[in-house]
Amino acid sequence: MLQELSHMDRITQLQDEIQRLLTIMSSTIAYLTSRSTFLQVSEQIPITKIRNPDKYDPPELFEANKNELVQDLIVKAKQIEYLIQSLPVPEPEEQQANRLQALERQMQDANEEYIQAVDRAKNLHRKISEFLRTMLDNADGPVELVP
């Protein structure tokens, strides 16, 4: 049971790290689109819009930030890869089926024990009720025990 909880913790950690990776990716895209300047990449496609100099980072700063963002993505991807590698190897289907059958048998046994306990409790309740009724009916006379 403890081992299963540990596996669930790893899965939760993996989910959290994937969420952080997506956040980094989203922030990276937002930065790259908002803080870059328009550059002509082809002679056939002219630049039709120019961004204000205070709206984009200088080329050196932009490159440095871009490299930092790439490093953040790489580190996060490696952390995710490590978490994936630490997950347990999936149990073979036949083993899973056998384990589920054993659990099913245990559940049936527990259910039968529960039904027997409920029947016993009902029987004891019935006997006690009859005994009390007899006592109340014969409050002045001798008490007769019901087997």
Short mmCIF file of all heavy atoms in Angstrom, two decimals, residues 29-36 51 55-57:
data_model
loop_
_atom_site.label_atom_id
_atom_site.label_comp_id
_atom_site.label_asym_id
_atom_site.label_seq_id
_atom_site.Cartn_x
_atom_site.Cartn_y
_atom_site.Cartn_z
N ILE A 29 6.76 31.79 -25.05
CA ILE A 29 6.08 32.26 -26.26
C ILE A 29 5.63 33.70 -26.09
O ILE A 29 5.79 34.53 -26.99
CB ILE A 29 4.91 31.33 -26.62
CG1 ILE A 29 5.46 29.97 -27.08
CG2 ILE A 29 4.03 31.94 -27.70
CD1 ILE A 29 4.41 28.90 -27.24
N ALA A 30 5.09 34.01 -24.92
CA ALA A 30 4.65 35.39 -24.67
C ALA A 30 5.82 36.35 -24.74
O ALA A 30 5.72 37.43 -25.35
CB ALA A 30 3.97 35.47 -23.30
N TYR A 31 6.96 35.98 -24.15
CA TYR A 31 8.13 36.85 -24.19
C TYR A 31 8.64 37.01 -25.62
O TYR A 31 8.92 38.12 -26.08
CB TYR A 31 9.24 36.30 -23.30
CG TYR A 31 10.53 37.08 -23.44
CD1 TYR A 31 10.68 38.31 -22.81
CD2 TYR A 31 11.57 36.61 -24.24
CE1 TYR A 31 11.85 39.05 -22.97
CE2 TYR A 31 12.73 37.34 -24.40
CZ TYR A 31 12.86 38.56 -23.77
OH TYR A 31 14.01 39.28 -23.92
N LEU A 32 8.79 35.89 -26.32
CA LEU A 32 9.34 35.95 -27.68
C LEU A 32 8.46 36.78 -28.62
O LEU A 32 8.97 37.46 -29.51
CB LEU A 32 9.54 34.54 -28.23
CG LEU A 32 10.62 33.71 -27.55
CD1 LEU A 32 10.62 32.29 -28.11
CD2 LEU A 32 11.99 34.35 -27.69
N THR A 33 7.16 36.72 -28.44
CA THR A 33 6.28 37.48 -29.33
C THR A 33 6.14 38.94 -28.93
O THR A 33 5.89 39.79 -29.78
CB THR A 33 4.89 36.83 -29.41
OG1 THR A 33 4.34 36.74 -28.10
CG2 THR A 33 4.95 35.47 -30.04
N SER A 34 6.30 39.23 -27.64
CA SER A 34 6.08 40.62 -27.22
C SER A 34 7.36 41.45 -27.14
O SER A 34 7.29 42.68 -27.24
CB SER A 34 5.37 40.64 -25.86
OG SER A 34 6.21 40.13 -24.86
N ARG A 35 8.51 40.82 -26.95
CA ARG A 35 9.73 41.59 -26.73
C ARG A 35 10.73 41.47 -27.89
O ARG A 35 11.89 41.83 -27.75
CB ARG A 35 10.42 41.15 -25.44
CG ARG A 35 9.57 41.32 -24.19
CD ARG A 35 9.10 42.73 -23.96
NE ARG A 35 10.23 43.61 -23.69
CZ ARG A 35 10.13 44.90 -23.54
NH1 ARG A 35 8.97 45.51 -23.64
NH2 ARG A 35 11.20 45.64 -23.32
N SER A 36 10.29 40.98 -29.02
CA SER A 36 11.19 40.91 -30.18
C SER A 36 10.84 42.02 -31.16
O SER A 36 9.74 42.54 -31.17
CB SER A 36 11.08 39.54 -30.87
OG SER A 36 9.79 39.38 -31.41
N ARG A 51 8.17 48.24 -34.58
CA ARG A 51 7.83 48.33 -33.16
C ARG A 51 8.66 49.44 -32.51
O ARG A 51 9.80 49.66 -32.85
CB ARG A 51 8.16 46.98 -32.51
CG ARG A 51 7.43 46.75 -31.23
CD ARG A 51 7.62 45.35 -30.74
NE ARG A 51 6.46 44.55 -31.17
CZ ARG A 51 6.29 43.28 -30.88
NH1 ARG A 51 7.18 42.63 -30.21
NH2 ARG A 51 5.22 42.66 -31.28
N LYS A 55 9.51 48.94 -26.77
CA LYS A 55 8.63 47.77 -26.74
C LYS A 55 9.38 46.47 -26.98
O LYS A 55 8.81 45.40 -26.86
CB LYS A 55 7.54 47.91 -27.81
CG LYS A 55 6.62 49.07 -27.62
CD LYS A 55 5.60 48.75 -26.58
CE LYS A 55 4.60 49.90 -26.49
NZ LYS A 55 3.60 49.70 -25.52
N TYR A 56 10.65 46.54 -27.37
CA TYR A 56 11.42 45.31 -27.58
C TYR A 56 12.78 45.44 -26.92
O TYR A 56 13.27 46.53 -26.68
CB TYR A 56 11.54 44.96 -29.07
CG TYR A 56 12.30 45.96 -29.91
CD1 TYR A 56 13.68 45.85 -30.07
CD2 TYR A 56 11.63 46.99 -30.58
CE1 TYR A 56 14.38 46.75 -30.86
CE2 TYR A 56 12.32 47.89 -31.36
CZ TYR A 56 13.69 47.77 -31.50
OH TYR A 56 14.38 48.66 -32.28
N ASP A 57 13.37 44.27 -26.62
CA ASP A 57 14.68 44.23 -25.96
C ASP A 57 15.79 44.39 -27.00
O ASP A 57 15.63 43.95 -28.14
CB ASP A 57 14.86 42.89 -25.23
CG ASP A 57 13.96 42.79 -24.01
OD1 ASP A 57 13.49 43.84 -23.53
OD2 ASP A 57 13.72 41.66 -23.53
#
